[in-house]
């Protein structure tokens, strides 16, 4: 039995299904990211957990206890909303104290807990400010302190970094992750940002159309995407249209390749840009490699790597080379090679 369990959760709004069938098991102290595009059902899933939305079907258990019929304030979950949702008329301390006052804790205890929570998020000394007198990052910390002060059994964070600038977002990612780890708090973290999911969580659940398409470590999901959607959504990938030769061999850009094909139907072969290499046309290539040929359209230096766009018989592809690689002339005829095992075939019309 896992600490947090979601089993067959479903929520419909009229004819549309916001969450179709979500099952997920999270261990105590683990941080799991719900990663997916806009509208896939991430927030609805969190709101069902928190008791803010009633599921049509399914069960939620924390430490073996059924949550489904408990009202929100009895679930002991800390929720950080995307917009922070701070009370504008209350001070920082008043905002953080809110959940404890709701639970009718003694005044002295509340003061102590609020002080501890503000110290944890490094806001000591700002307790009498109003939310409008704080920066975006500081407001975010208040929202986090407000969620943590009740010592929640589960922490729910909904896109809570999306309003911050890139630098602050990065700093907050590390800070939240280190607080989450030091408190050992079981966390579900909603985001549509892959970097956030990768840096902040132990495992990632990729959501698509109200379902979990795949759950695993960042490496599982990136190296072994379970579906075409996951391969496209997480990281970058070239999709090369494949055809079948008369002998059943797979052809990419009209050349036969050592790539496995699905039993039937049209398909594309996905390859990560950094798994590809550009070599001279004349270079001999082992039989364990895929090789297509084309012409360099563009080569762009983007800081830590060089992106090279190559056009050939089957379209265009992008190769990511380490910066410092020998310069490549636009218009040059080259071969692009990669290991056969780095080719991921997916049916063309599949999810
Ligand atoms: N109260 C509601 N009434 C009707 N439809 C809703 C309601 N809440 C959500 N939906 C619909 O359910 C689907 C899932 O919404 P949800 O907010 O869970 O998506 P999300 O993954 O959080 O998206 P985003 O990344 O944009 O925040 C969407 O199509 C949305 O329009
Ligand atoms: Mg949302």
């Amino acid at each position: 039995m896992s600490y947090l369990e979601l089993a067959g959760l479903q929520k419909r709004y009229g004819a549309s299904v916001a969450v179709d069938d979500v099952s997920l098991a999270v261990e105590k102290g683990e941080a799991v990211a719900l990663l997916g595009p806009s509208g896939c059902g991430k927030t609805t899933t969190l709101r069902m957990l928190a008791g803010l939305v009633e599921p049509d079907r399914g069960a939620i258990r924390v430490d073996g206890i059924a949550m489904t019929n408990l009202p929100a304030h009895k679930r002991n979950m800390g929720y950080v909303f995307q917009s922070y949702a701070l009370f504008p008329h209350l001070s920082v301390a008043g905002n953080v104290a809110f959940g404890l006052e709701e639970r009718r804790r003694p005044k002295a205890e509340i003061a102590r807990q609020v002080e501890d929570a503000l110290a944890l998020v490094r806001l000591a000394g700002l307790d009498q400010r109003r939310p409008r007198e704080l920066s975006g990052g500081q407001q975010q910390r208040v929202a986090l302190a407000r969620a943590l002060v009740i010592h929640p059994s589960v922490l729910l964070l909904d896109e809570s970094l999306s309003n911050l600038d890139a630098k602050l977002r990065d700093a907050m990612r590390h800070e939240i992750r280190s607080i989450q780890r030091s408190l050992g708090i079981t966390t579900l973290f909603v985001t549509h940002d892959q970097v956030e999911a990768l840096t902040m969580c132990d495992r990632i659940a990729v959501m698509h159309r109200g379902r979990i398409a795949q759950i695993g470590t960042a490496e599982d999901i990136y190296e072994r995407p379970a579906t075409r959607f996951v391969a496209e959504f997480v990281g970058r990938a070239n999709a090369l249209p494949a055809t079948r030769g008369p002998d059943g061999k797979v052809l990419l850009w009209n050349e036969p390749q050592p790539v496995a094909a699905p039993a039937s139907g049209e398909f594309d072969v996905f390859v990560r840009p950094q798994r590809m290499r550009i070599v001279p046309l004349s270079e001999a290539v082992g039989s364990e490699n895929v090789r297509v040929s084309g012409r360099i359209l563009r080569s762009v230096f983007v800081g830590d790597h060089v992106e090279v766009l190559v056009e050939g018989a089957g379209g265009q592809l992008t190769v990511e080379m380490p910066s410092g690689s020998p310069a490549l002339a636009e218009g040059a005829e080259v071969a692009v090679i990669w290991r056969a095992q780095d080719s991921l075939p997916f049916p063309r019309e599949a999810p």
Side-chain angles (χ1 to χ4, degrees):
M1 196 183 67
S2 298
Y3 186 71
L4 169 64
E5 295 184 326
L6 318 187
L9 277 186
Q10 191 191 68
K11 181 68 193 176
R12 289 170 179 277
Y13 289 108
S16 80
V17 185
V19 171
D20 197 358
D21 177 13
V22 165
S23 298
L24 182 64
V26 183
E27 303 308 322
K28 193 164 172 62
E30 194 182 20
V32 171
L34 284 183
L35 173 70
S38 188
C40 73
K42 305 180 298 290
T43 296
T44 307
T45 301
L46 277 206
R47 294 178 73 87
M48 286 193 280
L49 267 161
L52 304 173
V53 162
E54 198 183 333
D56 297 332
R57 247 201 272 148
I60 299 160
R61 280 181 296 272
V62 177
D63 210 5
I65 299 165
M67 294 284 119
T68 329
N69 294 317
L70 282 183
H73 67 276
K74 294 219 167 124
R75 294 192 183 193
N76 199 36
M77 297 199 185
Y79 200 134
V80 180
F81 296 88
Q82 174 165 8
S83 54
Y84 314 147
L86 300 177
F87 304 113
H89 58 289
L90 293 182
S91 65
V92 165
N95 268 278
V96 176
F98 185 79
L100 298 173
E101 278 164 0
E102 212 181 30
R103 287 165 176 77
R104 306 196 179 285
R105 298 282 172 74
K107 265 210 153 66
E109 184 197 324
I110 293 180
R112 191 167 36 82
Q113 300 267 17
V114 168
E115 198 182 317
D116 287 353
L118 287 175
L120 188 65
V121 300
R122 299 195 294 125
L123 279 183
L126 296 187
D127 51 320
Q128 291 316 311
R129 296 252 188 113
R130 307 280 146 170
R132 65 167 185 279
E133 298 162 340
L134 300 174
S135 71
Q138 288 167 336
Q139 290 179 41
Q140 216 269 329
R141 285 162 211 250
V142 176
L144 186 61
R146 187 175 61 178
L148 290 172
V149 78
I150 60 164
H151 297 286
S153 45
V154 176
L155 180 63
L156 307 169
L157 295 152
D158 193 352
E159 306 259 10
S160 18
L161 303 180
S162 51
N163 296 336
L164 307 180
D165 69 48
K167 213 162 176 185
L168 188 54
R169 191 157 61 221
D170 200 48
M172 283 304 293
R173 277 177 190 145
H174 288 102
E175 204 162 314
I176 292 177
R177 176 62 159 159
S178 96
I179 291 173
Q180 182 267 328
R181 275 196 166 143
S182 67
L183 300 179
I185 184 164
T186 310
T187 300
L188 262 189
F189 189 99
V190 160
T191 181
H192 59 248
D193 180 332
Q194 321 176 14
V195 176
E196 211 147 277
L198 298 174
T199 51
M200 298 197 49
C201 297
D202 300 300
R203 282 189 302 157
I204 297 173
V206 182
M207 278 189 80
H208 182 215
R209 296 194 185 135
R211 289 168 175 261
I212 292 179
Q214 185 172 5
I215 178 155
T217 62
E219 199 185 338
D220 287 337
I221 283 169
Y222 186 78
E223 300 290 349
R224 294 170 289 280
T227 68
R228 183 183 178 107
F229 171 79
V230 175
E232 276 170 346
F233 190 73
V234 181
R236 300 172 60 203
N238 291 295
L240 289 87
T243 51
R244 293 169 204 263
D247 53 357
K249 255 206 156 204
V250 172
L251 306 182
L252 295 177
W253 289 19
N254 298 336
E255 296 177 56
Q257 311 289 356
V259 173
S264 63
E266 296 197 300
F267 66 103
D268 297 306
V269 169
F270 281 65
V271 190
R272 302 289 182 198
Q274 71 276 29
R275 293 290 148 77
M276 296 175 145
R277 281 200 302 132
I278 293 177
V279 299
L281 269 181
S282 56
E283 186 166 311
V285 171
S287 61
E288 72 286 4
N289 286 313
V290 175
R291 176 191 184 278
V292 296
S293 54
R295 190 169 55 87
I296 292 179
L297 281 187
R298 250 200 326 274
S299 171
V300 183
F301 176 78
V302 281
D304 57 349
H305 65 270
V306 179
E307 277 183 26
V308 186
L309 189 64
V310 177
E311 183 170 55
Q316 295 182 355
L317 56 77
T318 302
V319 183
E320 219 177 280
M321 318 235 296
S323 44
S325 313
L328 293 160
E330 286 176 15
E333 300 284 341
V334 294
V336 177
I337 68 168
W338 64 91
R339 297 181 310 172
Q341 71 211 69
D342 291 328
S343 310
L344 304 166
F346 287 108
R348 194 157 299 161
E349 298 305 333

